[in-house]
Amino acid sequence: VHLVESGGGLVQYGGSLTLSCAASGSTHNINAMGWYRQAPGKEREKVATMTNSGSITYSDSVKGRFAISRENAKNTVYLQMNSLKPEDTAVYYCHAAVLVITIESQVALDEWGQGTLVTVSS
């Protein structure tokens, strides 16, 4: 599975931005997709995830401001970010939870995109 993000950039405080992540390859092995972010000097943290069944989780810091959605026909996941704050500044990474099942085994993999930078100015 190959993930390519787009949509990052510079936005002012209170503004909005939409990130996109297109998956290619063995997309039928994807169980869930989501977004993580990593701010300078901090660990990578989960932002939002969405399973194939539609179950969604958000981190407390973005709940009510961000919305994740998927367009299955295009194997694409989106992150609509509203009311952006300077503390939302980070590199945002697309993530796919992949499960490869063979006759002999099941292997769970984490696939990552290259990241896209979001900068929120105050």
Side-chain angles (χ1 to χ4, degrees):
V1 174
H2 185 58
L3 305 173
V4 178
E5 302 107 330
S6 61
L10 174 64
V11 63
Q12 290 188 334
Y13 178 90
S16 298
L17 210 57
T18 301
L19 305 182
S20 301
C21 172
S24 60
S26 300
T27 57
H28 60 278
N29 289 330
I30 295 175
N31 280 351
M33 295 186 72
W35 294 92
Y36 288 66
R37 67 185 182 186
Q38 187 166 17
K42 295 188 177 182
E43 293 186 354
R44 190 173 297 188
E45 63 172 354
K46 184 185 298 185
V47 175
T49 61
M50 186 173 186
T51 66
N52 287 354
S53 62
S55 178
I56 293 175
T57 60
Y58 295 102
S59 69
D60 289 342
S61 60
V62 306
K63 203 171 293 183
R65 300 188 298 122
F66 290 11
I68 187 171
S69 60
R70 286 174 71 171
E71 191 170 357
N72 292 327
K74 295 184 177 181
N75 293 314
T76 300
V77 64
Y78 304 94
L79 185 67
Q80 174 67 45
M81 304 184 293
N82 301 318
S83 303
L84 283 162
K85 307 174 182 179
E87 50 263 44
D88 294 318
T89 295
V91 177
Y92 284 71
Y93 295 92
C94 181
H95 170 263
V98 177
L99 183 63
V100 180
I101 301 175
T102 67
I103 294 177
E104 299 171 338
S105 66
Q106 297 185 37
V107 179
L109 302 171
D110 291 307
E111 299 290 352
W112 297 94
Q114 81 284 358
T116 185
L117 177 62
V118 173
T119 303
V120 184
S121 63
S122 58

